[in-house]
């Protein structure tokens, strides 16, 4: 890596539960981890000095790690050095904030970017009195989770109230989609302090894989990807499969295949497949590595992304990057990413929609699916690369700090 370009700015990222070093697939490890890692790497390439602060969840972790991409990860001692579900982390945020305050007292960053609501809590505490601007990305909002999960919502009772305070106290909010902007405005937060910057994908890693498509004589392949939690809507895909003869459904996500027997959601989905008479055509793959995912996506005739709610939803973007057509529920960020009738189809999120008929109609028109896939790839290249994301984030930084919106040539 060349060092010919001066550092454009010191950026501190706070990601209390989602380490950019974490292995994906766990209950609290997913899109936010990827977002933080990819954004940090892209900002370093633009000359920024980036440090990511995340909670120490293993006593063996060193205090500070320099990644191959050039950003540093600091493991913050806040609470036990052990894995803790993120909904149980709030009591440790004051300790996290105190650590940040000590770190920044002698050499404050030019801007702090907090990821998730508890990170915003800790970041605002750490930056207090230092005249350091704080930019907030919520990644998910308590109002949405409470609306859709009701009594099953495990978030702390005061989450929404704290998120509202964070939204008022931070210098700028980065929302990932227009649906999130509407939620933030409903919380009483001002639209003129919100920037919309989507999540991204690496179009070189996620690209069509030659030879991945199966012969025409093989069953049509439906693919669904995501964490094994009820809100992802895998049950809807299984029910639809019952109305789509000569098709198979692969579900990728959760722990490795050998550990699926101990996964409650996997057991629920297997029982549903038996009930629907499709157990022989539905396969739970377990966790699939990111290295294998482009080939798997490229082998699918249609990618199903059917969550009941979704803050952004990276699966449709990764599918489009691989040239795969997408059938998605019209929720959250999927309203922005999937263009109905252009890159795929959007359907209502309620269970009344005849999903099986929609899938049958799409599979019956291979030319249409090929057109959707090609248009999806073009849309990703135009809007959803990590370089595009980094540009949008830097514009948000520059609105509240000395960090320039455009800095140095890519290194």
């Amino acid at each position: 890596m060349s060092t010919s370009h001066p550092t454009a700015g010191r950026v501190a990222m706070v990601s209390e539960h989602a380490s950019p070093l974490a292995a994906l697939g766990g209950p609290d490890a997913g899109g936010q981890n990827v977002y933080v890692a990819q954004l940090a790497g892209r900002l370093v390439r633009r000359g920024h000095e980036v440090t990511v602060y995340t909670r120490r969840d293993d006593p063996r972790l060193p205090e500070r790690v320099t990644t191959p991409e050039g950003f540093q990860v600091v493991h913050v001692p806040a609470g036990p050095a052990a894995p803790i579900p993120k909904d149980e982390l709030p009591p440790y945020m004051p300790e996290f904030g105190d650590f940040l305050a000590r770190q920044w007292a002698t050499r404050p960053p030019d801007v702090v970017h907090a990821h998730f609501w508890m990170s915003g809590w800790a970041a605002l505490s750490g930056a207090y009195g230092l005249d350091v601007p704080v930019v907030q990305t919520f990644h998910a909002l308590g109002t949405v989770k409470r609306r859709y999960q009701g009594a099953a919502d495990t978030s702390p009772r005061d989450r929404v109230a704290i998120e509202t305070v964070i939204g008022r106290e931070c210098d700028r909010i980065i929302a990932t989609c227009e649906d999130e902007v509407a939620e933030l405005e409903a919380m009483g937060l001002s639209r003129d302090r919100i920037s919309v910057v989507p999540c991204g994908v690496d179009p070189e890693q996620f690209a069509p894989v030659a030879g991945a498509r199966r012969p025409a004589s093989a069953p049509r392949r439906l693919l669904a990807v995501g964490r094994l939690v009820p809100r992802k809507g895998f049950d809807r895909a299984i029910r639809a499969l019952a109305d789509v003869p000569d098709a198979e459904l692969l579900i990728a996500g959760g722990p490795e295949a050998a550990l699926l027997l101990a996964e409650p959601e996997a057991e629920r989905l297997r029982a549903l497949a038996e009930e629907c008479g499709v157990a022989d055509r539905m396969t739970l793959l377990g966790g699939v590595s990111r290295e294998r995912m482009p080939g798997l996506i490229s082998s699918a005739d249609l990618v199903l992304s059917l969550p009941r709610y979704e803050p952004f939803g990276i699966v449709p973007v990764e599918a489009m990057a691989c040239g795969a057509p997408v059938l998605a529920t019209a929720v959250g960020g999927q309203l922005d990413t999937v263009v109905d009738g252009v890159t795929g189809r959007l359907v209502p999120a309620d269970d009344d929609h005849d999903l099986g008929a929609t899938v049958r109609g799409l599979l019956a028109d291979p030319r249409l699916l090929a057109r959707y896939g090609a248009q999806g790839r073009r849309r990703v290249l135009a809007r959803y690369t990590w370089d595009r994301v980094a540009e949008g984030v830097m514009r948000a930084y520059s609105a509240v700090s000395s960090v320039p919106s455009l800095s140095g040539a890519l290194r």
Side-chain angles (χ1 to χ4, degrees):
M1 181 181 291
S2 166
T3 57
S4 59
H5 299 288
T7 299
R10 291 192 304 277
V11 178
M13 292 194 191
V14 182
S15 182
E16 96 294 329
H17 76 275
S19 169
L21 305 178
L24 302 184
D28 292 331
Q32 184 178 325
N33 306 69
V34 174
Y35 182 102
V36 172
Q38 290 286 348
L39 177 59
R42 291 308 192 278
L43 293 180
V44 168
R45 289 176 60 190
R46 285 164 171 75
H48 296 287
E49 176 187 315
V50 181
T51 304
V52 180
Y53 296 86
T54 192
R55 199 186 72 85
R56 180 194 295 274
D57 61 4
D58 186 325
R60 296 167 296 180
L61 291 171
E63 178 182 338
R64 189 176 292 260
V65 177
T66 300
T67 67
E69 294 77 19
F71 61 90
Q72 292 199 331
V73 177
V74 174
H75 294 111
V76 177
I84 299 175
K86 66 175 181 287
D87 288 334
E88 298 175 17
L89 289 176
Y92 309 114
M93 288 305 102
E95 187 179 355
F96 201 122
D98 289 345
F99 179 90
L100 296 177
R102 293 193 299 272
Q103 291 277 304
W104 298 341
T106 54
R107 191 171 184 262
D110 296 308
V111 66
V112 176
H113 188 173
H115 299 270
F116 203 59
W117 68 279
M118 284 181 283
S119 293
W121 177 359
L124 286 167
S125 174
Y128 184 77
L130 297 179
D131 195 29
V132 174
V134 175
V135 175
Q136 174 71 34
T137 299
F138 285 104
H139 291 280
L141 287 168
T143 54
V144 179
K145 191 175 182 185
R146 181 175 297 173
R147 182 184 311 133
Y148 287 97
Q149 292 195 0
D153 182 7
T154 57
S155 297
R157 287 185 304 171
D158 53 359
R159 172 177 173 175
V160 174
I162 295 174
E163 284 181 334
T164 304
V165 172
I166 291 168
R168 289 174 181 158
E169 294 296 323
C170 72
D171 295 86
R172 194 152 195 89
I173 299 171
I174 295 178
T176 57
C177 63
E178 289 295 338
D179 190 63
E180 185 181 353
V181 173
E183 291 287 341
L184 292 166
E185 289 184 301
M187 292 165 60
L189 302 174
S190 174
R191 177 67 177 86
D192 61 13
R193 294 176 52 250
I194 303 172
S195 300
V196 179
V197 183
C199 299
V201 66
D202 181 346
E204 295 182 6
Q205 178 187 13
F206 284 85
V209 176
R213 294 300 297 274
R214 294 154 356 112
S217 58
R220 300 300 85 195
R221 174 169 287 180
L222 308 174
L223 174 66
V225 180
R227 289 185 294 127
L228 287 185
V229 292
R231 75 172 179 87
K232 291 296 185 179
F234 297 133
D235 52 347
R236 301 187 73 212
I238 291 171
R239 291 189 183 96
L241 183 65
D243 295 326
V244 187
D246 193 32
E248 64 175 7
L249 171 64
L250 306 184
I251 298 177
E256 59 183 89
L259 301 177
L260 281 176
L261 287 175
E263 189 71 29
E265 180 65 2
E267 182 57 36
R268 184 179 80 91
L269 296 175
R270 276 192 292 264
L272 178 62
E274 289 280 0
E275 178 186 324
C276 293
V278 297
D280 60 330
R281 296 192 285 130
M282 188 278 289
T283 304
L284 295 173
L285 299 175
V288 174
S289 70
R290 291 184 69 74
E291 291 72 27
R292 290 174 50 214
M293 191 60 75
L296 179 62
I297 293 173
S298 297
S299 75
D301 294 280
L302 184 64
V303 173
L304 308 180
S305 184
L306 305 173
R308 288 167 172 80
Y309 73 93
E310 188 66 72
F312 179 76
I314 197 60
V315 170
V317 181
E318 291 177 343
M320 291 191 299
C322 293
V326 178
L327 175 62
T329 42
V331 296
Q334 297 186 158
L335 288 162
D336 289 6
T337 56
V338 180
V339 182
D340 189 39
V342 177
T343 68
R345 288 288 306 278
L346 288 172
V347 295
D350 59 74
D351 288 322
D352 294 333
H353 180 77
D354 190 350
L355 200 58
T358 302
V359 173
R360 288 198 309 273
L362 289 170
L363 293 180
D365 194 341
R367 289 186 179 180
L368 177 65
L369 292 180
R371 189 161 69 246
Y372 284 171
Q375 290 285 4
R377 173 76 179 172
R378 281 193 280 271
R379 182 168 175 79
V380 165
L381 294 176
R383 294 171 178 261
Y384 298 109
T385 67
W386 284 114
D387 287 324
R388 292 280 190 188
V389 172
E391 290 168 7
V393 168
M394 289 199 307
R395 283 194 293 271
Y397 291 173
S398 70
V400 296
S401 76
S402 61
V403 177
S405 61
L406 293 173
S407 56
L410 292 184
R411 296 195 281 170

